[in-house]
């Protein structure tokens, strides 16, 4: 039985169609997903689509230091504000130690955006006078149900109908966690939907009386605004309570389990700047789980004791206070007695993330930083279009030069290179289109430059492999074994080269900010795709073409002509002449 030949991979030689089929299936699946999602073009950054870029510099107030924690909190505030304007593609990020860059694409009122991101957050504690579900959820609410701020537990696993958040003194942390009286913001949402039997239904009308301010003092205009307010509509949420002063009775919106509720809120009883400290803590003594503790300033402690003492005399929802951040009700816990001493807790079956989110919101009003506008740059869509056109033109010229070189030097092999470049281009375009809605990737001008640089990196991989094949042919081997023997050596070189490129892109992405990250991300993405294309397309395609007579016979236009490559004649073993046979003489 003959031993198998060494130095060749049977699976690599005989089944290249599997690898080609795999990558073609991936292309079809990704392209289909792109069309099904409706995102058939990459999302453009502000420098290509146009918009406004605002640079803000932090200023320390009241002796507070400018540190990473405060800067990150400021970014969260600005993100909430810009999102409140209905902007889904805005970018808010820190730059250095003191600056925040806000990029807002076209279609947004730049003046309104500048006013929103450049001002200090407004946080108030307001008595709840009335509250009810809006939109389609209002039809499922029972008119006779008792009203409260919410029916959704912060934790899906601890959701209980008819129970609610409770604000208690920190000296009595044994309050039962509940879910009533809660309005969740973007980062504080519950999963369960309020049941009809416990859904807040607005049993307190705008004319109901309440301590700390009554709805009966609201004028006809405010009553009409409360009646007409539909918080399920974003446009109305964005304008609810606009222009209201801390001393005014106003309206607001809060989200509960994906359902929006409207509130009638009394004058502010406590200002957010009077919250000295808020943090999320885990109570292990009473097994109450995660809670949010608040510490007020001396003046704030007195005000908080007064308002909680007044609210405790009322029934729900008028025994609740709404925690209102920038016009949105982020929480509305109820109270059962006056909370004195300047310390309070909010409990309600929180998860750690939810408790931390609420603590951060409570800290917004006491943020010790203000921001000064350093620069505002407006990029018109026409200028962005010109930049994109110039970038695409540069890419087309670079690609054309690469193709001319490949055809002139590699002739028939250029078919493999161009097909591989085409596959790489399709994958890059489809992934960029899908990554826009998936992770917020925006194609800016530096990212276009990264894609152009990637053309040379991808072409370099093909050249490495082709030259290894030609070296094998120069040594006298035929094409099919030359293709297989050249692959291991070329593979190592390609992987090392791409690893260095990817490492450089990763380091650049980590250490830089802003638009340079777009260049680094695109360079890293195309480098990974280069490895995929070479392994699953270029190598299998070359294996198939090596079986075709045009390439296998070394046609002069194939790029693999042994004579033009200066190939050595194959080594052949020659049989030694037989030694003369000596005969003995008789």
């Amino acid at each position: 039985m003959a031993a198998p030949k060494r130095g060749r991979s049977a699976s690599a030689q005989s089944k290249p169609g599997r690898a080609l089929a795999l990558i073609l299936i991936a292309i079809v699946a990704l392209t289909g997903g792109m069309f099904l999602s409706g995102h058939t073009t990459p999302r453009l950054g502000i420098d290509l689509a146009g918009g406004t870029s605002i640079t803000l510099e932090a200023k320390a107030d009241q002796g507070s230091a400018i540190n990473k924690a405060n800067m990150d909190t400021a970014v969260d505030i600005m993100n909430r504000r810009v999102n409140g304007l209905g902007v889904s593609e805005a970018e808010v990020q820190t730059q250095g130690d003191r600056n925040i860059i806000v990029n807002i694409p076209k279609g947004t009122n730049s003046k309104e955006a500048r006013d929103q991101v450049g001002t200090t957050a407004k946080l108030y504690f307001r008595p709840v006078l009335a509250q009810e579900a809006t939109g389609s959820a209002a039809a499922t609410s029972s008119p006779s149900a008792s009203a409260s701020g919410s029916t959704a537990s912060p934790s899906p696993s601890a959701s209980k109908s008819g129970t609610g958040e409770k604000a208690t003194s920190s000296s009595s942390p044994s309050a039962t966690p509940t879910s009533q009286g809660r309005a969740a913001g973007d980062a504080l949402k519950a999963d369960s939907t309020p049941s009809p039997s416990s859904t807040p239904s607005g049993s307190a009308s705008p004319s109901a009386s309440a301590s700390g301010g009554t709805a009966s003092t609201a004028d006809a205009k405010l009553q009409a605004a409360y009646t007409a307010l539909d918080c399920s509509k974003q446009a109305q949420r964005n304008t609810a309570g606009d222009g209201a002063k801390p001393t005014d009775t106003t309206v607001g919106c809060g989200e509960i389990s994906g359902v929006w509720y409207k509130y009638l809120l009394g004058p502010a009883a406590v200002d957010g700047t009077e919250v000295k400290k808020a943090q999320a803590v885990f109570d292990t003594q009473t097994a109450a789980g995660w809670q949010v503790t608040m510490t007020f300033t001396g003046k704030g402690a007195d005000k908080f004791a007064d308002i909680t003492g007044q609210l405790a005399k009322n029934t729900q929802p008028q025994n609740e206070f709404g925690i209102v951040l920038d016009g949105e009700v982020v929480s509305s816990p109820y109270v059962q007695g006056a909370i004195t001493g300047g310390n309070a807790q909010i409990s309600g079956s929180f998860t750690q993330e939810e408790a931390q989110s609420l603590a951060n919101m409570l800290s917004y009003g006491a943020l010790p930083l203000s921001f000064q506008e350093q620069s505002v740059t407006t990029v018109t869509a026409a200028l962005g279009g010109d930049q994109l056109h110039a970038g695409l033109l540069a890419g087309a010229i670079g690609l054309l030069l690469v193709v001319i070189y490949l055809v002139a030097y590699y002739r028939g092999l250029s078919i493999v290179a161009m097909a591989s470049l085409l596959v790489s281009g399709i994958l890059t375009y489809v992934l960029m289109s899908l990554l826009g809605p998936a992770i917020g990737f925006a194609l800016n001008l530096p990212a276009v430059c990264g894609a152009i640089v990637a053309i040379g990196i991808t072409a370099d991989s093909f050249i490495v492999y082709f030259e290894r094949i030609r070296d094998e042919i120069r040594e006298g081997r035929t094409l099919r074994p030359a293709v297989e023997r050249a692959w291991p050596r070329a593979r190592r070189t390609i992987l090392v080269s791409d690893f260095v490129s990817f490492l450089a892109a990763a380091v650049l992405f980590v250490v830089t900010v802003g638009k340079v990250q777009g260049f680094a991300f695109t360079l890293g993405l195309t480098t990974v795709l280069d490895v995929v294309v070479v392994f699953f397309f270029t190598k299998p395609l070359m294996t198939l073409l090596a079986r075709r007579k045009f390439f296998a016979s070394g046609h002069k236009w194939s790029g693999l002509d042994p004579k033009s490559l200066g190939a050595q004649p194959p080594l052949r073993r020659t049989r030694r002449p037989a030694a003369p046979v000596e005969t003995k003489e008789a």
Side-chain angles (χ1 to χ4, degrees), residues 470-548:
R470 295 175 121 189
D471 287 343
E472 295 293 332
I473 292 176
R474 289 188 184 99
E475 293 178 4
R477 294 182 178 86
T478 57
L479 181 58
R480 291 183 66 174
V483 167
E484 300 305 323
R485 290 178 63 89
W487 175 240
R489 298 169 62 190
R491 179 178 59 202
R492 287 193 296 269
T493 305
I494 292 170
L495 287 176
V496 170
S497 176
D498 283 343
F499 174 76
V500 172
S501 297
F502 182 81
L503 184 62
V507 172
L508 189 63
F509 184 86
V510 172
V511 302
T512 59
V513 296
K515 297 178 181 179
V516 180
Q517 285 185 327
F519 172 85
F521 182 85
T522 305
L523 183 61
L525 175 65
T526 51
T527 301
V528 173
L529 290 179
D530 175 48
V531 175
V532 173
V533 171
V534 169
F535 274 71
F536 291 93
F537 186 81
T538 306
K539 167 59 174 59
L541 181 61
M542 194 66 225
T543 300
L544 289 177
L545 293 180
R547 302 172 182 177
R548 299 296 180 265

Side-chain angles (χ1 to χ4, degrees), residues 50-72:
T52 304
S53 179
I54 306 170
T55 302
L56 302 170
E57 182 181 6
K59 301 292 184 182
D61 292 339
Q62 302 173 358
S64 299
I66 299 176
N67 52 41
K68 185 178 184 301
N70 285 339
M71 292 293 286
D72 290 343

Side-chain angles (χ1 to χ4, degrees), residues 322-380:
I323 301 175
V324 185
L325 174 66
D326 285 341
E328 180 182 331
V329 181
V330 297
S331 182
S332 56
Y334 71 90
V335 295
Q336 293 179 324
I339 300 176
T340 59
N343 296 315
Q345 293 176 341
I346 300 177
S347 59
S349 301
F350 292 107
T351 65
Q352 180 179 2
E353 181 180 359
E354 291 162 344
Q356 187 62 58
S357 296
L358 182 55
N360 288 340
M361 292 177 188
L362 290 170
S363 299
Y364 286 164
L367 185 66
L369 299 177
S370 61
F371 290 87
Q372 180 178 350
E373 194 174 275
Q374 293 295 306
S375 65
V376 178
T377 305
T378 301
V379 181
T380 64

Side-chain angles (χ1 to χ4, degrees), residues 59-387:
K59 301 292 184 182
D61 292 339
Q62 302 173 358
S64 299
I66 299 176
N67 52 41
K68 185 178 184 301
N70 285 339
M71 292 293 286
D72 290 343
T73 302
V75 168
D76 290 339
I77 295 171
M78 293 178 188
N79 260 321
R80 285 173 53 84
R81 290 183 166 188
V82 174
N83 290 333
L85 296 174
V87 180
S88 60
E89 299 178 0
E91 299 175 355
V92 182
Q93 55 193 354
T94 57
Q95 185 177 61
D97 297 330
R98 307 177 66 92
N99 295 328
I100 290 180
I101 307 297
V102 183
N103 293 325
I104 304 172
K106 63 180 180 178
T108 303
N109 187 320
S110 60
K111 183 179 183 303
E112 183 181 3
R114 289 169 61 183
D115 293 340
Q116 286 285 325
V117 300
T119 57
T120 305
K122 299 294 190 297
L123 178 73
Y124 298 108
F125 293 78
R126 292 177 176 270
V128 175
L129 306 180
Q131 172 247 352
E132 62 181 292
T134 60
S136 58
T140 64
S141 299
S142 172
S144 60
S146 62
S148 69
S150 173
T151 60
S153 168
S155 171
S157 62
S159 177
K160 295 181 181 180
S161 175
T163 59
E165 278 184 3
K166 180 182 293 185
T168 63
S169 169
S170 61
S171 61
S172 58
S174 60
T176 303
T178 57
S179 64
Q180 192 178 33
R182 172 174 184 175
D186 289 341
L188 206 58
K189 297 179 180 178
D191 293 334
S192 59
T193 302
S195 62
S197 62
S198 59
T199 301
S201 60
S203 59
S205 67
S207 61
S209 62
S211 299
T214 63
S216 60
T217 61
D219 57 17
K221 182 178 180 180
L222 181 61
Q223 294 185 36
Y226 177 79
T227 303
L229 180 61
D230 184 356
C231 290
S232 64
K233 297 179 180 178
Q234 183 175 354
Q236 295 193 36
R237 294 199 302 268
N238 294 341
T239 58
D242 281 359
K245 299 178 181 178
T247 56
D248 293 341
T249 301
T250 185
V251 296
C253 296
E255 187 182 13
I256 307 168
S257 306
V259 179
W260 285 93
Y261 293 82
K262 62 181 178 180
Y263 291 81
L264 186 66
L265 304 166
V270 182
D271 194 296
T273 57
E274 293 168 329
V275 178
K276 185 176 181 180
K277 183 180 181 181
Q279 60 181 350
V281 297
F282 188 80
D283 185 2
T284 57
Q285 296 180 353
T286 62
W290 284 96
Q291 301 175 340
V292 178
T293 63
M294 296 181 292
T295 302
F296 293 88
T297 62
K299 186 178 179 180
D302 294 337
K303 291 182 179 180
F304 193 70
D306 290 341
I307 184 60
T308 52
Q310 294 173 11
L311 294 179
K313 301 175 184 177
N314 304 322
T315 58
Q316 294 177 337
Q318 295 170 3
N319 65 343
E320 304 168 13
F321 60 83
I323 301 175
V324 185
L325 174 66
D326 285 341
E328 180 182 331
V329 181
V330 297
S331 182
S332 56
Y334 71 90
V335 295
Q336 293 179 324
I339 300 176
T340 59
N343 296 315
Q345 293 176 341
I346 300 177
S347 59
S349 301
F350 292 107
T351 65
Q352 180 179 2
E353 181 180 359
E354 291 162 344
Q356 187 62 58
S357 296
L358 182 55
N360 288 340
M361 292 177 188
L362 290 170
S363 299
Y364 286 164
L367 185 66
L369 299 177
S370 61
F371 290 87
Q372 180 178 350
E373 194 174 275
Q374 293 295 306
S375 65
V376 178
T377 305
T378 301
V379 181
T380 64
L383 178 59
D386 291 341
Q387 292 175 333

